Amino acid sequence: MDISDAQLQAWIQVALFPLARIGGVLISAPVIGDKSSPGRVRLMFALVLTMIVVPLLPDMPVLPAFTAAWWLRMAQETLLGIMLGFVLKLVFEAVVLGGELIGNSMGLGFARMADPIRGADVPVIGNFLRLLATLLFLALDGHLRLIELLTTSFKVAPDASVLLGPRSFQTMAESGVTMFAAGLSLALPTMSALLLVNLAFGVMSRSAPTLNGLSVGFPLSLAAGLVLMQIDLPSLRLVFGAQLEQAWMFMAQMAGIGALP
């Protein structure tokens, strides 16, 4: 069977454009696209998803390879995938922000550790909450919903150019504001309680000047913070679940779906 260059080019393009969008998601999405995930695993995962998505696509016009229009389409597909994954990543960054605020209130602002996933130093409490958020994400089937949203986006809009516009970037900005406000709300109960503890210790130190603020106040704030975290930790599932639902809504709007069932 003879295969012409035009047929071979058409077959490659049918899979190449979806691969660009899926690859963009795997670059910026949390858990699946973390630096700790081997590159070969992510590449094989992207290829498997592309093989699943390709039969769902309608017939698309074939663009001449390596032309300006071809490169523009590749850039648009990759950019859309990066934007979708970035919105989901903001949920985890909001959790890390909440943990950092709690750690600073406990007096652990200096306690930081190297995080190979984020490639930077992160606070201990923030890293702990991020690990819990990762487990919750997998327990809530977040990875399956991400695959569902991604495959549905190809059914709705196989061409990313119809989705990229001022509205998409505005939606991504709105998601950032919402997610970081949620991170602040996650830390606010513990921070408020620790503020009362510090105020009470301030009154005690004024009444008894012989009390050493460093030797007494720091252990007191640390112990109170750990107790408050233990009390407040069950609410992490509710807050994180609500943040995920908002992220799915923003991502569905950016992908042209409207809302996921």
Side-chain angles (χ1 to χ4, degrees):
M1 182 179 64
D2 295 333
I3 300 177
S4 63
D5 293 340
Q7 290 177 325
L8 182 60
Q9 184 177 354
W11 291 346
I12 293 176
Q13 286 196 28
V14 166
L16 196 58
F17 292 138
L19 181 62
R21 188 184 303 186
I22 294 172
V25 171
L26 295 183
I27 288 174
S28 58
V31 183
I32 301 174
D34 285 337
K35 293 182 180 180
S36 60
S37 301
R40 293 182 180 180
V41 173
R42 283 186 283 177
L43 178 59
M44 292 301 298
F45 188 57
L47 291 175
V48 171
L49 283 181
T50 303
M51 294 174 60
I52 296 174
V53 167
V54 166
L56 305 177
L57 298 178
D59 295 334
M60 298 292 294
V62 179
L63 301 176
F66 303 109
T67 60
W70 187 88
W71 283 112
L72 179 61
R73 175 73 184 279
M74 286 289 294
Q76 289 172 339
E77 295 290 344
T78 306
L79 179 60
L80 179 61
I82 291 175
M83 291 171 62
L84 292 175
F86 181 73
V87 171
L88 189 59
K89 191 177 184 64
L90 286 177
V91 180
F92 288 79
E93 294 300 321
V95 173
V96 174
L97 174 63
E100 184 169 5
L101 294 175
I102 293 174
N104 291 336
S105 300
M106 294 170 58
L108 293 177
F110 63 91
R112 308 179 72 88
M113 60 183 299
D115 186 2
I117 295 178
R118 302 174 75 242
D121 292 341
V122 296
V124 175
I125 303 299
N127 194 45
F128 172 69
L129 293 182
R130 185 189 59 78
L131 292 175
L132 291 182
T134 301
L135 296 177
L136 285 174
F137 179 78
L138 297 176
L140 296 174
D141 295 332
H143 55 299
L144 299 180
R145 293 197 65 177
L146 177 60
I147 296 173
E148 177 189 2
L149 185 143
L150 193 56
T151 54
T152 307
S153 70
F154 285 106
K155 297 179 183 179
V156 176
D159 188 353
S161 61
V162 302
L163 298 176
L164 292 176
R167 180 58 185 168
S168 298
F169 292 97
Q170 181 181 356
T171 301
M172 187 174 65
E174 292 175 355
S175 67
V177 174
T178 303
M179 295 307 164
F180 282 103
L184 180 59
S185 66
L186 175 65
L188 195 57
T190 305
M191 290 174 59
S192 302
L194 286 174
L195 178 60
L196 295 177
V197 172
N198 291 328
L199 288 176
F201 179 75
V203 173
M204 291 172 57
S205 63
R206 293 289 292 179
S207 303
T210 56
L211 286 177
N212 192 325
L214 183 61
S215 60
V216 178
F218 175 70
L220 182 63
S221 298
L222 182 59
L226 293 176
V227 172
L228 291 171
M229 281 190 59
Q230 183 180 7
I231 296 173
D232 195 47
L233 204 57
S235 64
L236 176 64
R237 183 187 182 280
L238 300 177
V239 176
F240 183 74
Q243 292 181 24
L244 274 182
E245 291 300 327
Q246 290 181 336
W248 299 131
M249 181 186 66
F250 285 122
M251 293 170 66
Q253 292 176 1
M254 293 173 60
I257 301 172
L260 285 176

